[in-house]
């Protein structure tokens, strides 16, 4: 698959900072799913991957929103407003995939509107990659501002707890 010049890069070469370690496995899962969606043409597999991508991205985003973003030095800054708008747009398309795959056998997901599902799944992938790049910058800034090892450990523990209880729905209850 050939990438356009303005394609959004992934975070494959970037590891999350140590304080954000509990998110690493979820982030790796997201990257693996995105990579697999780029290569597979099997519609059943794509439906299954789309469903798992929405659940995994929802857990990741829910954790960031509950624990990480409130620790930012200025969580109401323009960059966070832009990021919130981007996450809202991402959630909107993730809801469509969630609803199309919930309680439906992956073999049947494409039956009603195959092209519509594929177009929406592609939009989820594009928006998610773009959001992850922006979030990585904010995570790096938050990590830089963290002080003592105790503060880092406290954040890491809070992330682990929030991730354990994170919602798999695009719009958490």
């Amino acid at each position: 698959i050939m990438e356009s010049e303005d394609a959004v890069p992934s975070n494959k070469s970037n590891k999350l900072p140590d304080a954000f370690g509990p998110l690493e496995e979820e982030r790796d899962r997201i990257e693996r799913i995105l990579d697999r969606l780029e290569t597979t043409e099997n519609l059943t597999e794509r439906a299954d991957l789309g469903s798992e991508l929405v659940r995994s991205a929802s857990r990741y985003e829910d954790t960031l929103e509950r624990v990480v973003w409130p620790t930012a030095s200025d969580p109401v800054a323009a960059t966070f407003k832009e990021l919130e708008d981007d996450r809202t747009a991402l959630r909107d398309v993730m809801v469509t995939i969630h609803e199309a795959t919930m309680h439906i056998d992956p073999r049947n997901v494409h039956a009603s509107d195959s092209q519509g599902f594929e177009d929406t799944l592609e939009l989820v992938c594009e928006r998610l990659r773009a959001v992850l790049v922006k979030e990585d910058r904010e995570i790096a800034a938050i990590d830089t501002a963290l002080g003592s090892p105790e503060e880092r450990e406290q954040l890491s523990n809070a992330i682990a707890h929030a991730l354990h209880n994170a919602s798999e729905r695009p719009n958490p209850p």
Side-chain angles (χ1 to χ4, degrees):
I1 295 177
M2 192 168 192
E3 291 189 25
S4 65
E5 288 180 15
D6 51 41
V8 178
S10 70
N11 186 35
K12 292 176 195 159
S13 62
N14 298 339
K15 186 172 174 6
L16 291 174
D18 289 344
F20 299 84
L23 284 172
E24 192 73 37
E25 185 178 332
E26 200 69 53
R27 179 59 181 268
D28 288 346
R29 178 178 294 117
I30 291 168
E31 294 292 342
R32 283 192 309 273
I33 295 168
L34 288 169
D35 290 347
R36 183 66 186 146
L37 282 167
E38 287 179 3
T39 61
T40 187
E41 294 180 12
N42 179 298
L43 297 182
T44 302
E45 182 180 12
R46 291 182 63 74
D48 198 30
L49 288 168
S51 177
E52 179 55 32
L53 180 63
V54 167
R55 288 192 310 271
S56 187
S58 294
R59 283 188 301 266
Y60 187 83
E61 293 299 322
D62 189 42
T63 302
L64 290 176
E65 289 174 15
R66 290 176 190 256
V67 177
V68 176
W69 301 145
T71 67
S73 60
D74 187 6
V76 293
T79 54
F80 276 100
K81 174 63 177 130
E82 178 184 335
L83 194 51
E84 179 58 34
D85 292 345
D86 291 345
R87 281 196 312 269
T88 298
L90 172 61
R91 268 194 214 96
D92 290 345
V93 291
M94 287 192 342
V95 165
T96 303
I97 296 297
H98 178 72
E99 290 173 351
T101 58
M102 189 171 60
H103 308 300
I104 298 175
D105 187 299
R107 294 173 293 183
N108 299 326
V109 167
H110 286 82
S112 64
D113 183 10
S114 182
Q115 192 58 52
F117 180 83
E118 284 298 317
D119 291 346
T120 304
L121 184 57
E122 185 62 33
L123 199 51
V124 166
C125 293
E126 288 173 13
R127 288 183 180 173
L128 181 56
R129 284 200 189 277
V131 164
L132 290 173
V133 168
K134 291 178 182 180
E135 288 175 342
D136 287 346
R137 285 189 287 251
E138 296 306 319
I139 286 170
I142 290 169
D143 184 62
T144 300
L146 288 174
S148 68
E150 292 80 22
E151 190 177 10
R152 290 176 176 282
E153 184 178 350
Q154 208 171 31
L155 177 60
S156 185
N157 291 339
I159 289 170
H161 179 74
L163 184 59
H164 179 72
N165 297 302
S167 176
E168 292 187 341
R169 295 180 180 198
N171 290 316

